[in-house]
Amino acid sequence: MRLVHLDLKGAAPRVPYLEQVFPLLSQLGANGVLIEYEDMFPFKGELEILRSPYAYSEEDIERIQQLAEQHKLEVVPLVQTFGHVEFILKHEKYQHLREVERFPNSFNPHVPDTLALLKSILSQVIEKHRRSTWIHIGADEVFHLGEGTDSKNWMSHNKGDVGTMYLKHIKEVLGFLTAQYWGLRVLMWDDMLRKISVGALRVALVARACPAAVPFITKYVESGFEAVWFASAFKGTTGPAQAWTPLSYHLKNHLSWLKVMQTVPRLAPLRLQGVVLTGWQRYDHYSVLCELLPVSIPSLAICLQTLVNGGFTEEAKRKVLDVLGLESVQLEQSTCEGRGAFPGVEIYHMVEQVNGHLKESILKAQEEESAIKGWFSPYHRKRQFGNPRNMESFGSKVLKLHEDWESFVRDLRAQLERIYFPDTVEEWMEENVNPYLDQLRDLVRDYR
């Protein structure tokens, strides 16, 4: 299985955009999507507080699954059940379920309310995904586990460590799922398992599948796992505020995974069940947005085709260019030549402009223009005086630059609004455009 991860805890696309993206995924070789809803799920009743104001409707969730079915994509919902639950624990209503009172990252596994809450969250999500045969329970990066008073007490009374405590909670979650939803298969991330001994894992044998990496694979074989998945990345791993996707970096990541895959047959009876191509949209609920989906589609296409063809072969390259409507791809420069014909290509080109020229052109205007430095300094501007003769020498240039960027940004905003909800558009503009454009706006205002 080749699942493409849609991380909806930031920049969740409107459903009509997914209508364009799903056929593309399937054309490029994906056969599933791992959907991390977080606050975009239409939670009901007691849980309504968890919904984003822009959350998908129940009809949207149904539509997404129909689209997936139409394009032969298996839908795997992801529900975090231990760490990365800031979207839940930030609410006063659930504050008492934090492992450490100050931090909203992780659940306290010793409070009965934690499991009760997880059961209702899982139930609501699973009820709306009746066609799915898999569920992913997250369970990665459980920060501060073992630091809470309840955990310290538990460990001292049970001669236990953080690992056994972690497994105890995971087993409770799995126990609920297997009892309630017979035949539903469970996936989880494996970073927390890496620290746990073979003995403890064998006793718990938490699940039948989890993403892993080489040094750990033999450990999982010894622990009695029957299958593993791998998790690569096509975007969202090179910096929390990254705006442009580095192509060769992500291609190398997939080439490394292909090498790992070749080792799996030697580890029978273990088998490789699938790969998740992760595409993080935020590092966590509180961090800024990293690369937008339209910006990273060339990277996704390269990565998927690399997996399908066992390398970035000529055939893989040709397929990427054909499907995306491009003339060529420069891996080292992370650029693509040609107009492109993929969903959101306008945003791709415009973000390239912002990323490559906006800051540069504004700084250049201020730095290289000696009349600005000499006759229109922050000192002049603050005290509102200047020599008109010297000011006129740079005025028209600065006004033109300002006008050009303002009209460009209007177009960009319109394109973003077609794909994204208002909160995403605002956030992206404030993070990537305004810090530079505002300097130019202020300069023009003072000049006038």
Side-chain angles (χ1 to χ4, degrees):
M1 291 177 79
R2 287 183 289 267
L3 306 187
V4 173
H5 173 222
L6 296 175
D7 179 16
L8 305 180
K9 62 179 170 282
R14 296 174 185 269
V15 176
Y17 184 64
L18 296 177
E19 288 176 5
Q20 299 174 292
V21 170
F22 279 18
L24 182 78
L25 297 183
S26 153
Q27 248 183 312
L28 289 165
N31 50 21
V33 280
L34 175 67
I35 306 185
E36 185 164 355
Y37 288 106
E38 207 182 76
D39 59 0
M40 287 302 290
F41 187 81
F43 291 109
K44 294 195 304 225
E46 277 288 289
L47 302 178
E48 202 170 323
I49 190 174
L50 302 178
R51 289 166 71 149
S52 149
Y54 299 102
Y56 292 141
S57 65
E58 290 185 21
E59 293 71 35
D60 291 336
I61 302 287
E62 182 51 36
R63 178 79 187 114
I64 289 169
Q65 290 175 90
Q66 284 170 358
L67 284 169
E69 207 169 15
Q70 218 174 316
H71 300 288
K72 303 191 171 37
L73 298 168
E74 171 97 26
V75 175
V76 180
L78 186 154
V79 177
Q80 284 287 4
T81 55
F82 213 162
H84 282 298
V85 282
E86 296 89 348
F87 82 104
I88 300 169
L89 298 182
K90 70 178 183 182
H91 296 285
E92 208 178 316
K93 181 177 179 180
Y94 298 119
Q95 214 166 333
H96 65 293
L97 302 181
R98 296 175 178 188
E99 168 70 359
V100 174
E101 203 183 334
R102 291 207 325 281
F103 304 132
N105 306 64
S106 309
F107 277 125
N108 172 349
H110 311 285
V111 189
D113 285 3
T114 292
L115 195 61
L117 175 63
L118 281 173
K119 285 176 176 177
S120 57
I121 290 175
L122 285 162
S123 301
Q124 288 203 15
V125 173
I126 294 167
E127 288 306 323
K128 290 274 168 273
H129 290 82
R130 279 315 204 170
R131 308 178 184 75
S132 296
T133 54
W134 295 89
I135 183 151
H136 196 308
I137 58 167
D140 58 319
E141 297 186 334
V142 188
F143 299 135
H144 311 292
L145 183 61
E147 291 173 24
T149 318
D150 290 349
S151 288
K152 284 177 180 161
N153 288 339
W154 186 90
M155 288 189 289
S156 65
H157 290 117
N158 294 275
K159 296 190 180 61
D161 58 7
V162 172
T164 48
M165 197 166 67
Y166 173 83
L167 290 176
K168 180 178 171 289
H169 176 72
I170 295 300
K171 278 184 77 173
E172 285 173 348
V173 172
L174 291 171
F176 164 71
L177 289 170
T178 44
Q180 258 336 89
Y181 303 99
W182 195 83
L184 187 64
R185 288 179 288 179
V186 184
L187 282 163
M188 61 185 283
W189 303 125
D190 86 311
D191 54 287
M192 298 293 290
L193 299 179
R194 294 179 193 183
K195 308 172 190 127
I196 298 171
S197 71
V198 169
L201 279 176
R202 192 178 284 152
V203 170
L205 193 57
V206 288
R208 301 285 172 199
C210 72
V214 181
F216 306 105
I217 297 177
T218 38
K219 170 178 162 176
Y220 296 139
V221 175
E222 288 162 24
S223 306
F225 280 83
E226 293 163 7
V228 287
W229 288 60
F230 295 148
S232 59
F234 71 90
K235 79 178 189 80
T237 54
T238 52
Q242 183 80 15
W244 195 248
T245 313
L247 297 180
S248 69
Y249 177 92
H250 291 287
L251 171 58
K252 282 175 192 149
N253 177 243
H254 285 76
L255 294 173
S256 309
W257 278 113
L258 283 172
K259 286 196 187 107
V260 180
M261 286 173 199
Q262 288 154 14
T263 66
V264 176
R266 300 203 290 275
L267 294 167
L270 190 76
R271 49 178 220 292
L272 172 64
Q273 207 150 24
V275 183
V276 176
L277 294 88
T278 64
W280 305 100
Q281 192 54 80
R282 292 190 197 284
Y283 278 31
D284 75 22
H285 185 75
Y286 284 97
S287 69
V288 297
L289 296 170
C290 33
E291 311 103 296
L292 297 171
L293 187 54
V295 168
S296 53
I297 281 182
S299 171
L300 176 56
I302 288 167
C303 296
L304 268 171
Q305 275 298 301
T306 297
L307 292 179
V308 170
N309 290 284
F312 194 48
T313 57
E314 276 308 311
E315 194 181 339
K317 197 173 190 172
R318 205 171 43 245
K319 175 90 172 188
V320 167
L321 298 177
D322 285 353
V323 172
L324 301 186
L326 295 167
E327 283 156 32
S328 69
V329 168
Q330 308 303 321
L331 292 171
E332 291 307 320
Q333 292 77 35
S334 298
T335 54
C336 298
E337 268 64 69
R339 272 303 314 146
F342 55 89
V345 68
E346 302 82 5
I347 289 176
Y348 175 87
H349 289 304
M350 293 172 113
V351 171
E352 190 172 20
Q353 289 296 313
V354 169
N355 196 52
H357 305 297
L358 177 65
K359 178 181 179 179
E360 204 181 308
S361 69
I362 290 168
L363 286 178
K364 195 173 153 191
Q366 290 173 311
E367 288 300 312
E368 287 184 7
E369 195 57 69
S370 68
I372 293 181
K373 293 190 92 159
W375 281 268
F376 203 54
S377 72
Y379 181 84
H380 292 96
R381 289 167 63 184
K382 195 172 169 186
R383 287 163 182 75
Q384 298 187 329
F385 77 96
N387 188 332
R389 178 177 167 272
N390 301 76
M391 282 172 67
E392 277 171 17
S393 70
F394 68 79
S396 57
K397 232 187 287 185
V398 164
L399 291 175
K400 171 99 173 73
L401 183 68
H402 173 248
E403 198 179 308
D404 289 350
W405 275 118
E406 289 290 9
S407 110
F408 173 89
V409 166
R410 273 195 300 278
D411 291 349
L412 171 59
R413 183 180 277 276
Q415 290 296 342
L416 286 169
E417 282 168 351
R418 286 174 48 194
I419 294 181
Y420 293 111
F421 298 101
D423 56 340
T424 301
V425 179
E426 273 327 298
E427 181 180 349
W428 199 87
M429 291 304 217
E430 281 187 33
E431 285 294 328
N432 298 284
V433 172
N434 298 352
Y436 314 110
L437 196 49
D438 283 350
Q439 295 176 28
L440 187 58
R441 287 166 174 154
D442 292 347
L443 184 72
V444 165
R445 184 199 59 214
D446 291 352
Y447 170 80
R448 288 205 168 113

